[in-house]
Amino acid sequence: MAHYVATVPSPRSYDDVRDYMTDFRCVADWDPSIESCTLTGGDDPRAVGARFHVAMKKMQLDYVLTEVAPDRIVLRGENSTLVSFDTITVKAVGSGSEATYDAVLELKGWRKIGEPLLRLLFGRIGDNAAEGLRTQLSGQS
């Protein structure tokens, strides 16, 4: 299992950041490893059951939005080799907000032997994504 957590402060309001982060298509705005994220199921990208297709350079994942609560957004992504569990929390901090992105990747089957390498790679990918999110939420994108 590879795990990455990043917390990013923002001068933007809680409502603004939560609304932005709830539409998972935004991931293509701030994660440089993502080439595109498209809504593939559901009429409302912010509603439980919405489905997204995420294209990266060397892999693709299909996500479903499994939970939307005032303080938490949960997605599950999967392809033939791995499962991704992504939890986004947003909270008000003073006049701004703070977003935390918590992602867990689990390799399937015999591929689990590659988890030490995945942890290293995921750390670098996560650091780049966190920097992109920091820039996006600062309003300096």
Side-chain angles (χ1 to χ4, degrees), residues 39-112:
L39 182 67
T40 58
D43 294 330
D44 182 354
R46 292 177 176 86
V48 170
R51 296 187 173 280
F52 304 88
H53 181 75
V54 174
M56 301 149 112
K57 289 180 183 168
K58 296 186 179 185
M59 111 169 49
Q60 300 190 22
L61 285 159
D62 290 304
Y63 277 86
V64 63
L65 182 57
T66 61
E67 180 183 341
V68 177
D71 63 340
R72 187 168 124 122
I73 302 143
V74 181
L75 298 112
R76 183 181 187 280
E78 186 170 8
N79 65 19
S80 63
T81 61
L82 62 84
V83 179
S84 179
F85 302 95
D86 300 48
T87 303
I88 303 161
T89 54
V90 179
K91 67 180 186 176
V93 178
S95 62
S97 60
E98 180 177 271
T100 299
Y101 203 100
D102 186 331
V104 174
L105 293 180
E106 293 181 359
L107 292 170
K108 293 180 176 181
W110 63 267
R111 293 172 183 88
K112 288 183 184 281

Side-chain angles (χ1 to χ4, degrees), residues 113-122:
I113 62 170
E115 286 188 345
L117 179 61
L118 178 63
R119 280 192 290 273
L120 288 173
L121 179 62
F122 196 39

Side-chain angles (χ1 to χ4, degrees), residues 12 20 29-30 131-141:
R12 293 166 55 182
Y20 176 73
D29 296 341
W30 52 266
E131 187 56 38
L133 184 57
R134 193 170 288 108
T135 299
Q136 188 70 30
L137 294 183
S138 74
Q140 299 173 7
S141 58

